[in-house]
Amino acid sequence: MLTGLQIAVIGGDARQLEIIRKLTELDAKLSLIGFEQLDHAFTGAAKEKLDEVDFSNIDHIILPVAGTSLEGKVETIFSNEKVYLNQEILDQTPSHCTVYSGISNDYLTGITEKANRKLVKLFERDDVAIYNSIPTVEGTIMMAIQHTDFTIHGSEITVLGLGRTGMSTARTFQALGAKVKVGARNSAHIARITEMGMTPFHMDDIDKAVANTDICINTIPHLVLTASVISKLPVHTLIIDLASKPGGTDFRYAEKRGVKALLAPGLPGIVAPKTAGQILANVLTQLIGEELQTRREQQS
């Protein structure tokens, strides 16, 4: 149980509802910021505005998966008001206050470091990333079907990156009967791709490897689908970029050449928010419970 804990949930999408539900069931007291338009009410959770919260009592701050923008803005789909997180707010919190986010950027990392508060990036955890790859892949299949006029079965699929999402994506498209190529740099990944019965290629050879691609799925959060690479793609190729914003694709050149390119980060929150929220809720409650137990042991 999380009785006695004060937690601020700031912004987010439908995934946050599962987090709120789980935390209130465990008897934590919640301040919901950026949820004015949410119809549902949770026992033990109060809708508040940012300037109404007494942050000196907040033990944990939970941000959306995307964290904040580079200006500190927190996305809030349940509110029309703009919500910004800054160092001054963090400075008001107790020294043990922990900030939870899916990912981070220079701004969020900077203000938590300056305030000397712990920042936990949930998507850096293997368990979260692996569980999250399941709705991501399902969403990718949905997009592939919606935006092409051919079957996945028999298609030439190129997956860039063999991380947790890349591996799940490649394996699933292969199971659907596609001919799958996977690009990687790590020699161990090249070996794993071969062991999985797919065609590996080194990312240095991407220009040649993509020549016959029907669907190209990028999971690498760096610019890898450059204008040069896109110029080698067939015009009918569909690019689905799963990397976090701004993605790894030159979208300007893709549009100029007539290649359809879709940036699709956050697919779990779109196609399966309930499942994606439950994944985050389970990990969050585990981490918060462990921190509470450690703090109690130190105080005893």
Side-chain angles (χ1 to χ4, degrees):
M1 299 296 288
L2 303 178
T3 305
L5 283 184
Q6 301 261 359
I7 301 174
V9 180
I10 306 178
D13 53 27
R15 285 174 283 190
Q16 306 302 89
L17 304 185
E18 295 301 317
I19 294 170
I20 294 167
R21 183 175 292 110
K22 182 91 171 177
L23 291 172
T24 52
E25 286 174 357
L26 292 172
D27 202 30
K29 186 176 179 182
L30 272 57
S31 295
L32 307 182
I33 302 157
F35 289 87
E36 296 88 54
Q37 296 176 355
L38 178 65
D39 293 331
H40 190 86
F42 295 92
T43 303
K47 299 174 188 176
E48 300 180 71
K49 293 189 177 180
L50 196 65
D51 57 6
E52 297 172 343
V53 179
D54 182 0
F55 279 94
S56 66
N57 293 321
I58 296 298
D59 299 296
H60 302 276
I61 294 174
I62 298 175
L63 297 173
V65 165
T68 70
S69 71
L70 289 171
E71 293 75 42
K73 185 180 179 182
V74 181
E75 290 298 324
T76 58
I77 71 165
F78 297 107
S79 173
N80 289 326
E81 295 197 4
K82 294 181 179 179
V83 177
Y84 288 86
L85 181 69
N86 55 42
Q87 186 188 335
E88 288 72 26
I89 292 172
L90 296 182
D91 285 337
Q92 297 171 36
T93 62
S95 59
H96 64 261
C97 180
T98 301
V99 180
Y100 296 92
S101 178
I103 59 176
S104 187
N105 57 26
D106 290 343
Y107 175 85
L108 181 56
T109 299
I111 63 171
T112 51
E113 286 180 352
K114 289 174 183 174
N116 198 25
R117 298 296 181 264
K118 182 179 178 182
L119 173 64
V120 176
K121 292 167 278 190
L122 296 172
F123 276 24
E124 288 190 354
R125 291 176 57 97
D126 283 337
D127 51 358
V128 172
I130 292 169
Y131 284 133
N132 220 47
S133 71
I134 299 168
T136 298
V137 172
E138 289 189 12
T140 305
I141 293 168
M142 175 190 74
M143 294 182 74
I145 293 171
Q146 287 177 337
H147 294 278
T148 58
D149 57 1
F150 48 84
T151 61
I152 292 172
H153 187 281
S155 296
E156 298 274 353
I157 309 290
T158 300
V159 177
L160 304 179
L162 196 75
R164 292 151 306 195
T165 299
M167 182 177 290
S168 296
T169 302
R171 183 188 293 120
T172 304
F173 274 85
Q174 183 188 46
L176 290 173
K179 302 167 187 173
V180 181
K181 288 182 182 177
V182 184
R185 292 192 182 279
N186 187 304
S187 59
H189 287 177
I190 297 290
R192 178 60 67 191
I193 295 161
T194 304
E195 182 273 330
M196 292 168 68
M198 303 171 199
T199 303
F201 66 88
H202 195 280
M203 288 297 294
D204 289 346
D205 301 321
I206 186 172
D207 283 36
K208 296 177 183 176
V210 300
N212 298 313
T213 300
D214 295 311
I215 301 173
C216 184
I217 302 166
N218 177 53
T219 68
I220 301 171
H222 307 289
L223 183 59
V224 288
L225 285 168
T226 61
S228 172
V229 175
I230 293 171
S231 70
K232 307 297 192 301
L233 291 169
V235 178
H236 73 268
T237 301
L238 170 66
I239 297 172
I240 303 176
D241 198 325
L242 302 178
S244 54
K245 292 181 181 179
T249 303
D250 186 335
F251 290 97
R252 184 202 62 81
Y253 182 77
E255 182 178 8
K256 180 179 179 181
R257 187 160 181 268
V259 173
K260 183 178 286 187
L262 307 172
L263 179 60
L267 272 181
I270 298 170
V271 301
K274 186 176 183 69
T275 299
Q278 288 171 344
I279 291 167
L280 294 171
N282 290 337
V283 174
L284 271 169
T285 51
Q286 176 193 335
L287 292 174
I288 291 171
E290 289 172 355
E291 282 196 33
L292 179 60
Q293 180 64 30
T294 300
R295 208 158 69 242
R296 284 172 175 168
E297 289 174 354
Q298 291 172 346
Q299 292 171 351
S300 61

